[in-house]
Amino acid sequence: MPVRRAASVRAEVVLAGKGTTRQVLIGPDEGPNFALRRFVMEPGGGMPRHTNTVEHEQYVLCGRARIGIGDQVIEVSADDVVFIPAGTPHWYEALGNETFEFLCVVPN
């Protein structure tokens, strides 16, 4: 389906995370090259340090977070763009009293 409302896509709890859900807005069955995902972290939520085999391109929709990328720790907020190279350890910690939400594009 070329167009759908994001609200119609089921959000799944990220079991390794805390207070975090993920929606696969465009998956490998629709987009042969890239997947588009939306992550939502509740205040105080986040994801522990982990490593993926593929790069991540991210766009922050709202909220604030502290992100560790390799040995670097940065704070991000709405309209920031984040690149995480393949094989680089990274983690997330939502800051403040609002949800932290971002889009994440990864190769299939």
Side-chain angles (χ1 to χ4, degrees):
M1 174 180 282
V3 176
R4 78 171 135 260
R5 305 282 305 165
S8 72
V9 178
R10 185 172 68 86
E12 303 171 344
V13 173
V14 177
L15 297 177
K18 174 184 173 189
T20 301
T21 59
R22 176 185 71 189
Q23 292 173 288
V24 178
L25 301 174
I26 298 173
D29 53 327
E30 298 163 305
N33 300 307
F34 298 96
L36 175 63
R37 307 172 305 168
R38 178 179 176 223
F39 285 83
V40 176
M41 296 177 189
E42 298 301 321
M47 287 190 283
R49 183 178 169 97
H50 62 284
T51 304
N52 301 96
T53 59
V54 297
E55 66 189 51
H56 292 41
E57 287 87 8
Q58 299 175 343
Y59 178 79
V60 178
L61 298 168
C62 64
R64 296 182 310 115
R66 184 174 298 120
I67 303 176
I69 303 173
D71 294 330
Q72 185 179 19
V73 177
I74 56 172
E75 282 194 20
V76 297
S77 59
D79 293 328
D80 284 340
V81 176
V82 178
F83 176 73
I84 301 172
T88 302
H90 55 286
W91 54 267
Y92 304 81
E93 176 188 0
L95 302 173
N97 295 322
E98 63 180 313
T99 60
F100 172 63
E101 301 180 25
F102 64 94
L103 297 176
C104 181
V105 175
V106 293
N108 288 329

